[in-house]
Amino acid sequence: MNAPAFAPPSIAPAKVSEALHMQGYAVLDPAGVAEWLGLPLAQLDALKPDWEHLPPDDYLKDGGKYRQRRHACFTVEGAQMLQVPHRAHWQPVEYNALHGGMQRWFGPMEAHTVAQPAWSRLMCKLAACASDLHGERRWFVEAHQFRIDTAHGIGRPTPEGAHRDGVDLVAVMLVERQGIKGGETRVFEANGRRGERFTMTAPWTLLLLDDARVIHESTPIQPLDERAPGHRDTLVVTCRAGAFQGD
């Protein structure tokens, strides 16, 4: 029997700062995201086509073929977003025991995607959220486009398990979910017993995480119909003060 799917604990946009300060995470439903960003969801929909042709992730140490991704890096200071030259993604083994300690060169994000008005608005809003938590500063932002598919059976959104990312703010946005079961989001206190589990199903649902206070993971996905593999598309953005990891 499948585990019940719990609805995301969505809050009003005006409560985001309070929730992050009090519990270390906040969830916005699509309507809340549109209000929070100050733009219609149709502008976010303009980003979607890029997920249809993501290159494979060739660094999976479990030998899986279930993950496709692109990667891009930016600096954000106030209302100014600047894309930096393409660079490797690097994490220490303390935060990613499976894939940490090595440079991973993923395909760069498409220029037309980064040029969308919704993109710079989203990056600046997330950086402002990080500043609200940790003080105004220049933020080093990494963006990851993910597709986890079930073409070969089980797909693992977080093969490294429950983790922190070694940054100041993490944002996980659902772009699309099609023909799958599973993919439950789990958030736990890093230094406590409290936790929450829910399944993001509506496109543009957004989870914000204070990385110092909580750990997170997403459970594996399986196809609803073995004859018609499905997928789960997400955008993961991290904000870090001082420098990119690895610098």
Side-chain angles (χ1 to χ4, degrees):
M1 181 180 295
N2 292 330
F6 296 100
S10 303
I11 60 173
K15 298 289 187 181
V16 166
S17 179
E18 178 184 351
L20 283 170
H21 279 93
M22 290 187 64
Q23 64 185 21
Y25 67 94
V27 183
L28 290 173
D29 64 18
V33 168
E35 181 181 340
W36 187 66
L37 291 176
L39 51 77
L41 290 178
Q43 289 196 27
L44 287 175
D45 289 338
L47 304 174
K48 276 189 174 182
D50 203 4
W51 269 263
E52 294 302 325
H53 49 88
L54 300 180
D57 181 343
D58 294 324
Y59 293 92
L60 287 169
K61 285 190 174 181
D62 64 3
K65 303 294 183 184
Y66 53 79
R67 187 156 78 180
Q68 304 163 47
R69 68 192 293 179
R70 289 187 185 275
H71 174 237
C73 294
F74 309 84
T75 59
V76 180
E77 192 165 8
Q80 298 297 315
M81 181 199 80
L82 176 67
Q83 186 170 9
V84 305
H86 192 55
R87 52 182 288 124
H89 176 54
W90 187 89
Q91 292 175 291
V93 293
E94 291 82 1
Y95 291 107
N96 190 331
L98 187 60
H99 298 116
M102 63 177 178
Q103 290 192 336
R104 289 181 285 168
W105 287 91
F106 301 115
M109 285 186 62
E110 299 280 6
H112 64 82
T113 301
V114 175
Q116 293 290 335
W119 184 261
S120 58
R121 177 62 178 162
L122 177 60
M123 296 302 103
C124 290
K125 190 67 175 178
L126 292 174
C129 191
S131 288
D132 181 66
L133 270 176
H134 303 289
E136 190 77 28
R137 64 197 69 189
R138 184 186 190 196
W139 292 102
F140 295 80
V141 178
E142 294 196 52
H144 306 261
Q145 297 171 293
F146 288 101
R147 169 166 286 186
I148 308 299
D149 68 53
T150 60
H152 302 281
I154 293 175
R156 295 176 173 84
T158 52
E160 66 271 38
H163 64 283
R164 291 167 54 210
D165 287 324
V167 297
D168 293 288
L169 181 80
V170 178
V172 181
M173 179 175 269
L174 181 71
V175 177
E176 185 176 74
R177 178 187 169 99
Q178 183 173 315
I180 61 167
K181 55 187 175 182
E184 180 180 81
T185 297
R186 297 177 178 178
V187 181
F188 310 94
E189 289 179 330
N191 297 299
R193 295 183 294 177
R194 186 174 183 273
E196 189 141 25
R197 49 188 285 214
F198 53 90
T199 303
M200 297 193 291
T201 58
W204 308 122
T205 299
L206 175 64
L207 169 64
L208 299 165
L209 303 160
D210 182 349
D211 193 56
R213 295 178 55 192
V214 296
I215 58 178
H216 64 281
E217 68 176 337
S218 296
T219 62
I221 62 172
Q222 295 175 273
L224 286 174
D225 184 344
E226 296 290 344
R227 299 165 297 178
H231 61 263
R232 180 178 185 264
D233 294 348
T234 56
L235 172 66
V236 177
V237 180
T238 63
C239 299
R240 188 173 189 265
F244 293 109
Q245 290 195 92
D247 284 354

